Amino acid sequence: MIEKQLRKNTVLTFNDKFYAFALVLVTKKRIEIQTWAFYSEIVEGKQFIEKELANLELFTNDKHIKVGKWWNGYSSGLVPMTSMGSAYTGVKFYEPSWDERISGISELKYIDFTNDEECNGWFYLSRLYKHRKEIEFLQKIGAKKIASELMRGHSIDMRTFNENWLKRNKSVLKNTEKSFSYFELENRIKSRGGKIVPGIEEYLKFSDINHIPKKARMVNFQNWIIKNKVDFSYYKDYLMLLDEMEVAVDTDNLITPKDLTKAHDNAVELFNIMTVEGKTKSSKKERTLYEKRIKQMDKLEAVVDDYVFIIPKSTKEIINEGKQLSHCVGGSQYVDGHFKGTTTIVFVRKKDSINKPFYTIEYQGGNIKQIRGKRNQLPPNEVEKAANNWLKKIKTKKKKKVA
C-alpha cells in the first residue's frame, strides 16, 4: 500500500499504468498467443482496472492468423503495444513450460531443437510453423546447417529456396555440413562448368555468378578474384561500362585484366568521351527541362563544416566529375538520372579548393544512397559526418518550407 499526504490541490483522478501480458497455449493442432492488456485508472482516489484481449496470434491448419483490438473493434493485424514499438514490445510472457509443449505435442514436435534451443520461442514461431516441413526434411537427411539457417531466418534467399529446390538437390544435400550460401555458390559454379576454389566465398555471393561473363573460365576467374582481392561490385561497374559501350567481354584481357583499377579507369575515360559526344546532340526540349530541374535542386546546395555541397549545372560537369575521380558517376545511368530527376548528383568539395573534385554523393529518395571518391574510395569519417550533417540541414529546410 502506498500512503501519501493529501492536499487541497491533490489530483485524485488520473490514468495510472498500462500492462501487457501474453499466454502461449499449445495443443496438438493449435498454437495460440493471447496478449492481454490491463489498464489501471485512479478515479477519486480509487483504483479501477480494466482488461481486454489486445492481440490474438493463431497457428492452426497450415494457417497463421493475426487479430488485434483496434479502435473500431477486432480486425486483422496485431496492435502495437507502444506508440513506437511492435505487438510484443514490453509484453511479459507467462507459462514458462509452453516451449516444452511446443516441442513435445504441437505440430512442431518433429523439429529437433537440440542445437537450436533458442529457436523454441515465440519470436521464431511464425517462421518455424511456416517452414516446419522443410526444416523436418532437412534435419532428416542430415543437412543440419541449412536447417538451422532456415529456423533462424539467416543467410537463406527465399526467392531461391523452395520445395522444388529441396527435391532437386536432395541427393547432394544429404549429410552436408555446408551453409545454404556456400552450397548454392558451389552449385552455380558447377553449372558454369567449373569447380569451387577454396576461399572464393569471401569474395563472391551465389547471386554474383550470373554477372560473370559467359566466356570466363571459372577456375581461372576465381583464382584471379582471390589473388587480386577483387571487390565484385567494383568489377560489375567495370562490366557495366563495357556493356554500355557495346564492347563484347569475351577475351581474357577484358574478363580478367591484369590491373582492374587501370582497366576500369580506361573504360571510364572512353565512356565519358562517348557520352560527351552523345549529349551534345540533346534536343532543346530536353535542355529546357534540365534547366528547370536545376532551379529545383538549388535548395540542396549548402556549406557544412569545411565542405561545400554543390549541384552540377550541366552534364559536362557530371562527366568531368566522373572523369577526374575515375568512378562511374559519369556513366549514362547517373547522367540521365540526374537529368530526369530519378536521382541527384551532389559534389562534395573542400572550401579551400572548391573547383577540385573530392567526393561525390548520389542523393535519392531523400537519403544518401552512396558517397564515393577517387576510384570509388569510401569516404573518411569526417567527410561522412559532414555529409550526414548536410542531409539533416536540407531536411530541415524542407520542413520549414512545408511549415
Side-chain angles (χ1 to χ4, degrees), residues 109-361:
K109 66 182 179 181
Y110 298 111
I111 293 178
D112 182 1
F113 290 96
T114 304
N115 297 317
D116 298 278
E117 292 183 2
E118 69 273 26
C119 292
N120 189 12
W122 69 266
F123 182 79
Y124 295 94
L125 277 179
S126 175
R127 171 169 286 275
L128 292 174
Y129 192 80
K130 181 178 181 180
H131 299 294
R132 64 191 185 282
K133 293 178 182 178
E134 292 90 341
I135 295 169
E136 291 170 14
F137 177 81
L138 287 165
Q139 291 181 337
K140 185 177 180 180
I141 64 174
K144 295 181 180 180
K145 177 72 174 178
I146 299 177
S148 178
E149 289 177 333
L150 184 57
M151 291 170 73
R152 297 166 186 270
H154 296 162
S155 307
I156 290 189
D157 185 346
M158 300 310 296
R159 296 168 298 181
T160 300
F161 181 91
N162 52 41
E163 187 177 347
N164 289 333
W165 184 89
L166 283 173
K167 290 179 179 178
R168 187 170 64 250
N169 294 295
K170 178 181 178 180
S171 60
V172 286
L173 282 170
K174 285 184 178 179
N175 300 316
T176 182
E177 296 181 0
K178 298 169 185 175
S179 67
F180 172 81
S181 295
Y182 188 91
F183 178 86
E184 193 62 20
L185 176 62
E186 183 180 44
N187 220 18
R188 297 195 184 192
I189 288 174
K190 284 181 179 178
S191 72
R192 292 285 301 271
K195 63 178 182 179
I196 196 166
V197 174
I200 193 60
E201 67 275 11
E202 298 295 325
Y203 300 93
L204 288 182
K205 303 187 294 292
F206 66 83
S207 57
D208 292 328
I209 303 303
N210 291 335
H211 297 284
I212 298 174
K214 299 298 181 184
K215 295 287 186 178
R217 294 177 291 168
M218 293 305 294
V219 172
N220 287 353
F221 184 81
Q222 292 174 79
N223 286 328
W224 174 76
I225 289 279
I226 295 170
K227 179 182 177 181
N228 294 283
K229 299 180 179 179
V230 172
D231 178 345
F232 198 75
S233 62
Y234 184 68
Y235 181 72
K236 285 198 292 184
D237 280 343
Y238 162 72
L239 293 179
M240 177 195 67
L241 286 164
L242 296 179
D243 181 63
E244 295 210 19
M245 292 185 291
E246 298 182 356
V247 176
V249 186
D250 54 7
T251 58
D252 286 345
N253 65 320
L254 287 178
I255 296 170
T256 53
K258 291 182 179 180
D259 187 334
L260 178 59
T261 301
K262 185 176 179 180
H264 182 278
D265 291 349
N266 287 336
V268 169
E269 290 177 10
L270 180 58
F271 178 79
N272 285 339
I273 292 170
M274 294 176 67
T275 303
V276 169
E277 291 174 349
K279 285 301 173 182
T280 56
K281 299 176 183 178
S282 295
S283 68
K284 289 183 180 180
K285 182 180 178 181
E286 290 175 330
R287 185 65 185 175
T288 300
L289 291 173
Y290 182 75
E291 289 173 349
K292 286 182 179 179
R293 173 155 162 72
I294 291 299
K295 291 180 181 178
Q296 295 173 348
M297 293 189 294
D298 281 343
K299 60 188 176 183
L300 299 180
E301 294 195 326
V303 177
V304 179
D305 301 331
D306 295 325
Y307 304 98
V308 182
F309 294 78
I310 302 170
I311 299 298
K313 302 297 190 295
S314 68
T315 55
K316 186 176 180 181
E317 291 179 67
I318 302 175
I319 291 167
N320 184 63
E321 179 86 346
K323 192 173 180 181
Q324 293 297 319
L325 295 179
S326 298
H327 59 35
C328 296
V329 76
S332 64
Q333 81 279 15
Y334 295 106
V335 174
D336 287 344
H338 187 78
F339 182 86
K340 295 174 181 176
T342 57
T343 196
T344 302
I345 303 303
V346 183
F347 299 162
V348 183
R349 303 283 171 84
K350 292 181 179 180
K351 276 200 284 190
D352 57 358
S353 52
I354 196 169
N355 294 319
K356 183 179 180 181
F358 186 50
Y359 279 86
T360 312
I361 290 175

Side-chain angles (χ1 to χ4, degrees), residues 55-68:
N55 284 319
L56 174 64
E57 195 165 4
L58 179 63
F59 305 88
T60 186
N61 295 325
D62 290 323
K63 294 179 181 179
H64 180 193
I65 301 168
K66 300 178 183 180
V67 177

Side-chain angles (χ1 to χ4, degrees), residues 28-76:
K28 291 182 179 180
K29 295 293 184 181
R30 184 184 183 100
I31 300 174
E32 188 174 306
I33 305 177
Q34 296 180 3
T35 303
W36 289 85
F38 291 79
Y39 304 90
S40 173
E41 183 182 16
I42 307 299
V43 179
E44 296 298 328
K46 296 181 179 180
Q47 185 184 35
F48 294 87
I49 296 177
E50 293 184 5
K51 71 176 183 355
E52 66 179 7
L53 180 62
N55 284 319
L56 174 64
E57 195 165 4
L58 179 63
F59 305 88
T60 186
N61 295 325
D62 290 323
K63 294 179 181 179
H64 180 193
I65 301 168
K66 300 178 183 180
V67 177
K69 178 66 179 296
W70 297 87
W71 64 272
N72 59 343
Y74 286 102
S75 185
S76 129

Side-chain angles (χ1 to χ4, degrees), residues 304 363 366-368 386-396:
V304 179
Y363 173 75
N367 294 294
I368 295 173
N388 288 330
N389 288 336
W390 165 80
L391 185 62
K392 291 177 183 177
K393 189 171 184 177
I394 62 173
K395 284 185 176 181
T396 301

